[in-house]
Amino acid sequence: MKENFYIGAVIDHTKMQEDILKFHFDKLPVLESERLLLREQTLDDAAALFKIRSSDAVMKYIPRPKPKSIADIEALINEIQENFLKHESLGWVITLKEKPECYVGHIGYWKIDAANFRAEIGYLLDPDFWGQGIAGEALSLVTDFGFNAVGLHSICAVIDPENQASARVLLKSGYVKEAHFKQDFYYNGQFLDSEIYCKVNA
């Protein structure tokens, strides 16, 4: 019996998935909910973002160095914009619909794993707006956009296990705790634990 052999070019499956996923936007779409307006971040936001990322309260559970100057933040914003153009991430400024000039925080997909239709989401909020349900509203908005407009199958969030406020936001938004990793992350001379929360587009 003759065997059939397939001879052809190597298929780049990751590229195929990137074509299926719809995150090749020329401009970041504006998203709106009942109270919020999410828009593209620009260098005009540098001072507001510097204030948030310089806050001890905000950065307590984020293992990243605080910025030393506005120039550090401007470099970060440029990096965010470049990664968007390379289709590697999507990030929005969180503002109030009734006061769009008010910088409330930032939310986005920092890593997009096109091959597995999966992305990692992250967010931070000015402490002045904590406890008002804004993080959950923004999270639900961006999660729905990821599933319905981008075509993601699953979205994950990585948090410090001690950040119970963030865990509550994720659980309330339908995310499920997937894992607790022991000392899997090294930062500032310490090995830190991390937890993974995930939501699947069922």
Side-chain angles (χ1 to χ4, degrees):
M1 180 159 131
K2 263 180 142 182
E3 290 184 343
N4 293 321
F5 292 92
Y6 174 76
I7 301 175
V10 175
I11 300 173
D12 186 343
H13 292 286
T14 299
K15 178 60 179 172
M16 290 174 64
Q17 267 89 319
E18 285 180 352
D19 291 338
I20 295 170
L21 289 174
K22 304 175 184 68
F23 59 84
H24 293 240
F25 307 106
D26 293 329
K27 185 173 178 60
L28 189 70
V30 173
L31 306 182
E32 295 184 42
S33 64
E34 182 179 351
R35 293 183 294 169
L36 307 178
L37 185 147
L38 276 56
R39 60 163 175 81
E40 182 181 22
Q41 188 155 240
T42 71
L43 290 175
D44 291 337
D45 300 309
L49 184 56
F50 179 80
K51 173 180 176 284
I52 293 176
R53 292 188 72 98
S54 298
S55 166
D56 289 334
V58 172
M59 302 302 290
K60 181 177 181 180
Y61 300 116
I62 300 176
R64 297 287 184 274
K66 289 190 289 187
K68 296 178 181 177
S69 66
I70 291 290
D72 289 344
I73 292 296
E74 289 175 342
L76 175 63
I77 292 173
N78 285 331
E79 182 181 353
I80 291 170
Q81 292 174 337
E82 288 169 7
N83 288 339
F84 166 72
L85 294 174
K86 291 188 290 186
H87 311 133
E88 294 178 355
S89 66
L90 298 171
W92 292 266
V93 169
I94 303 170
T95 70
L96 301 177
K97 191 181 283 188
E98 295 181 354
K99 198 175 180 183
E101 72 279 3
C102 182
Y103 191 112
V104 175
H106 192 270
I107 188 168
Y109 296 116
W110 312 122
K111 298 177 185 175
I112 297 176
D113 180 4
N116 294 300
F117 298 89
R118 186 175 175 92
E120 179 183 333
I121 199 166
Y123 47 86
L124 32 87
L125 222 62
D126 188 314
D128 291 342
F129 296 94
W130 288 3
Q132 300 177 31
I134 290 175
E137 190 172 330
L139 179 62
S140 294
L141 185 60
V142 174
T143 297
D144 290 344
F145 179 82
F147 288 150
N148 301 322
V150 179
L152 295 171
H153 177 67
S154 64
I155 300 168
C156 70
V158 182
I159 69 168
D160 186 316
E162 295 185 7
N163 191 351
Q164 291 302 302
S166 189
R168 286 193 295 271
V169 169
L170 290 161
L171 292 170
K172 191 173 181 180
S173 299
Y175 283 70
V176 175
K177 182 178 173 180
E178 281 191 334
H180 182 131
F181 293 106
K182 297 292 291 182
Q183 299 185 5
D184 67 318
F185 191 83
Y186 184 76
Y187 176 72
N188 201 25
Q190 292 182 297
F191 289 98
L192 307 175
D193 288 8
S194 62
E195 287 184 345
I196 312 295
Y197 288 75
C198 179
K199 188 169 186 178
V200 174
N201 189 13

